[in-house]
Amino acid sequence: MQRIRISGFLYFFRANINYWPFLYPEVIGCKKGSIFMSTKENLIIKFDFYSEQTVGKATKIIGLTKARYLIPIIDGLNLEANPRSAKTGAVTDAIQESIERDVENFPFKTKGILLASSQYERLERGRIRMMPQNAEIEGILDGGHNTLAIGLYILEKALALQGIKLVKGEKTWDQFKKYWEKYRHYVTEYLEEAKKNPEMKEIDFYVPIELLVPQDADDPVCVESFKNDLLEICAARNNNVQLQVAAKVYQWGYFNDLIELMERRNPGVNHKIEWKTNDGGKIRAQDIIALSWIPLNLITPVRDEHDRIVESVQPQNIYSGKGGCLKQFEKLMSSPQVTRENDGGYKRILHNKEVYSALEITAELPALYDYIYEMFPKLYNAAGGSYGRITAVKALNEKRKVKVTPFGGRPVETISPDGYIVPLVYGLQELMENRLVGDHHEICWKQNPMMFLHEHLEKIVKNYIGIFNLCDYDPQKIGKNAQSYLQNLSAFKMALAGIL
């Protein structure tokens, strides 16, 4: 590693690559005008105690490192390789409390941080330089909450030295990294001050570290085998803490096409969806995936890797079994008839045009859901009912101060239980069809759904509310009743035929 000072831009020279621009330089220390940079090219872990275990093509280096030596890791890595992001809360609070109150036992109370790098270099004095090649599978595989808690702890100590307090409130990993980059120079000053003052040992506590590397980094076959195993290792490690299915689905890339379609169709909603677990967002990914089964139920059945049919989802489960909808989505997307391995990559690629067309329609459903949600109370009253007097509606509106549509956040006068709305939204399936387009099938709209709703929703609602009395106006009973969905499919079909 060289120390280079160039006015305007900083570059790092490597033998096999001419010049790499430092897009995100982070200053570790300054001396006589030179700048020592911490970047993804300089991720050095310093172990005070460590041992190694090698099985097959992988080597695990286990040891303890002082928290101060995690600073380059925080500088240069994010959580792309971790199925979950991290955010502050009870977990990070407990970690920081252990650091403050029982620092000597901290390394025995935590699993620490799991790192992986397909290229590495052994240095002197227990130091190892990581050189991750693919951020999707290498870097921080597990221990995101530990890294976040320790990073915040270091940053808060550095800011305290300046008489500055970090803004209170919940913070995601991405928000933390923005603060880290903004105040990174104060961390440098804190480190310099700590060198002068031996009593400043707040960030000298030990953290357990596991570093996974290929057994022979110079053997391409060994390295490729190591890389191929990383996703499975990561998923298995995170399963130990009950990894949500959504995190797995995100990690394998099964959300990718839907994210792109949502961004193209409805970016305002897309930015509110928590596609990656703990990444922030008011809308859960599984809420969108549940809706996706409205068009997905129309696709030609596909078989999984064991040649078993991937079953469709029962309509009522879109309301009451969203976790099951997500699990079934994972089964569907992992089918070799739907996705394939990415040559040279580690996320699977969607190749089934029929499924892709269903996801295109899914991207339109949040706006249609919101329209039905907004109009339903008015249309219920227009049909002779008294919506505001329904016990479930009254209780919900008294409890909730902010009244907006579920996806777009449009202000409304009255909010509704989802159990009333989902069966109506499911009726939109009657406006869809599985159509032969050239040499393949696609799920298509028979006609413009929004224009259809403008014209026919009032009649459909009038037909629908007859079931309310039969279910005692209980949104749970209505939402879980298969008849609610069948009745709405029938009403949409009759409206489409002009006989409702």
Side-chain angles (χ1 to χ4, degrees):
M1 183 67 171
Q2 299 178 359
R3 293 188 180 186
I4 305 172
R5 188 178 185 186
I6 302 176
S7 178
F9 294 90
L10 293 165
Y11 292 91
F12 173 72
F13 177 79
R14 298 184 69 182
N16 60 332
I17 301 174
N18 290 333
Y19 288 93
W20 280 73
F22 278 119
L23 299 179
Y24 302 100
E26 300 295 346
V27 180
I28 285 184
C30 302
K31 185 177 181 181
K32 295 182 180 179
S34 65
I35 300 177
F36 183 69
M37 308 304 299
S38 171
T39 71
K40 291 184 179 180
E41 308 300 333
N42 187 41
L43 300 175
I44 297 176
I45 287 289
K46 184 180 185 303
F47 290 99
D48 278 359
F49 314 97
Y50 72 95
S51 61
E52 297 185 17
Q53 301 169 347
T54 297
V55 178
K57 303 294 184 182
T59 293
K60 179 167 66 173
I61 302 169
I62 311 168
L64 299 177
T65 188
K66 290 183 179 180
R68 67 168 59 233
Y69 297 125
L70 290 179
I71 290 174
I73 298 300
I74 298 170
D75 284 341
L77 294 180
N78 279 306
L79 301 183
E80 295 101 321
N82 197 311
R84 301 177 301 166
S85 187
K87 64 180 178 181
T88 56
V91 174
T92 53
D93 289 346
I95 293 168
Q96 291 184 343
E97 184 177 357
S98 291
I99 294 170
E100 292 280 4
R101 296 188 178 185
D102 194 12
V103 68
E104 289 186 359
N105 287 322
F106 178 72
F108 308 110
K109 290 183 174 182
T110 174
K111 293 191 303 178
I113 301 168
L114 175 66
L115 303 169
S117 182
S118 61
Q119 294 295 317
Y120 67 103
E121 180 182 1
R122 296 179 185 273
L123 305 173
E124 297 177 346
R125 302 188 305 278
R127 296 177 302 143
I128 297 177
R129 174 181 285 125
M130 296 173 55
M131 294 176 282
Q133 305 297 301
N134 186 337
E136 291 183 354
I137 59 170
E138 302 174 49
I140 302 172
L141 269 59
D142 192 17
H145 282 90
N146 272 316
T147 311
L148 175 60
I150 293 167
L152 279 169
Y153 182 84
I154 293 171
L155 185 58
E156 287 168 353
K157 292 296 180 184
L159 291 177
L161 191 64
Q162 308 292 330
I164 301 172
K165 288 188 177 180
L166 199 59
V167 177
K168 292 184 179 181
E170 182 181 89
K171 298 174 185 66
T172 63
W173 172 265
D174 289 341
Q175 290 168 335
F176 157 68
K177 282 301 291 273
K178 289 179 182 178
Y179 286 119
W180 181 265
E181 291 167 7
K182 180 179 179 180
Y183 298 118
R184 180 61 178 79
H185 58 289
Y186 289 138
V187 176
T188 299
E189 293 181 21
Y190 179 84
L191 290 173
E192 293 294 334
E193 190 64 29
K195 289 179 183 177
K196 301 173 187 176
N197 187 352
E199 295 182 1
M200 291 178 60
K201 297 182 179 181
E202 294 99 332
I203 61 173
D204 281 341
F205 60 90
Y206 283 110
V207 181
I209 299 291
E210 292 181 60
L211 173 60
L212 303 181
V213 295
Q215 182 268 333
D216 184 357
D218 295 324
D219 181 354
V221 175
C222 179
V223 171
E224 192 61 26
S225 175
F226 172 78
K227 287 181 178 180
N228 288 335
D229 291 338
L230 281 181
L231 274 178
E232 290 295 336
I233 291 171
C234 183
R237 283 300 190 94
N238 281 275
N239 265 337
N240 292 337
V241 289
Q242 299 179 336
L243 174 67
Q244 293 183 17
V245 177
K248 291 183 184 179
V249 174
Y250 178 88
Q251 191 71 355
W252 284 103
Y254 295 149
F255 286 152
N256 284 2
D257 289 279
L258 186 51
I259 292 172
E260 182 181 330
L261 290 166
M262 285 292 301
E263 181 65 22
R264 192 186 311 162
R265 182 75 186 185
N266 201 334
V269 170
N270 189 46
H271 297 165
K272 296 178 182 178
I273 301 171
E274 189 180 70
W275 293 111
K276 184 174 184 178
T277 305
N278 290 334
D279 208 20
K282 298 179 181 179
I283 302 170
R284 299 178 302 170
Q286 67 181 33
D287 293 340
I288 301 295
I289 297 306
L291 292 179
S292 76
W293 281 102
I294 299 175
L296 283 173
N297 274 347
L298 297 177
I299 67 170
T300 305
V302 301
R303 294 182 178 274
D304 64 18
E305 57 184 342
H306 304 294
D307 202 36
R308 296 173 299 200
I309 292 289
V310 178
E311 300 292 339
S312 58
V313 166
Q314 294 297 314
Q316 58 270 31
N317 288 341
I318 293 173
Y319 164 68
S320 62
K322 293 180 180 180
C325 291
L326 187 59
K327 289 180 181 178
Q328 206 63 12
F329 183 80
E330 181 190 17
K331 290 181 182 178
L332 173 73
M333 296 299 287
S334 63
S335 163
Q337 293 180 271
V338 177
T339 61
R340 60 174 172 79
E341 292 184 356
N342 179 12
D343 296 336
Y346 299 90
K347 292 185 184 290
R348 293 180 66 88
I349 294 177
L350 175 63
H351 64 80
N352 187 306
K353 294 180 180 179
E354 201 172 339
V355 171
Y356 184 83
S357 67
L359 297 183
E360 286 184 299
I361 285 182
T362 300
E364 300 181 50
L365 293 180
L368 296 169
Y369 190 110
D370 278 359
Y371 177 77
I372 292 172
Y373 188 94
E374 182 177 358
M375 296 302 297
F376 184 71
K378 305 171 188 175
L379 298 181
Y380 184 98
N381 290 335
S386 182
Y387 195 66
R389 295 180 64 184
I390 298 175
T391 302
V393 174
K394 187 176 181 180
L396 184 62
N397 280 269
E398 287 177 349
K399 188 192 324 184
R400 197 87 57 84
K401 293 182 178 180
V402 178
K403 299 178 182 180
V404 296
T405 56
F407 296 103
R410 180 183 174 88
V412 292
E413 293 181 5
T414 306
I415 54 178
S416 300
D418 288 339
Y420 291 169
I421 306 300
V422 175
L424 261 176
V425 176
Y426 191 83
L428 289 166
Q429 189 186 82
E430 195 57 47
L431 304 183
M432 308 170 195
E433 63 180 352
N434 190 321
R435 183 187 303 166
L436 182 63
V437 180
D439 61 348
H440 66 277
H441 285 260
E442 291 184 6
I443 310 302
C444 308
W445 291 111
K446 296 176 184 176
Q447 62 175 256
N448 184 294
M450 190 62 80
M451 292 178 63
F452 178 90
L453 291 175
H454 280 298
E455 185 176 353
H456 299 290
L457 185 58
E458 183 175 358
K459 292 175 288 185
I460 292 171
V461 169
K462 187 174 182 180
N463 178 79
Y464 170 48
I465 64 175
I467 203 168
F468 276 47
N469 186 42
L470 295 176
C471 293
D472 299 322
Y473 298 88
D474 185 339
Q476 290 279 343
K477 291 181 180 179
I478 294 171
K480 293 179 179 180
N481 188 343
Q483 187 59 38
S484 302
Y485 300 85
L486 293 174
Q487 185 168 322
N488 277 299
L489 284 174
S490 178
F492 272 78
K493 185 174 184 178
M494 289 189 293
L496 194 61
I499 57 176
L500 182 64

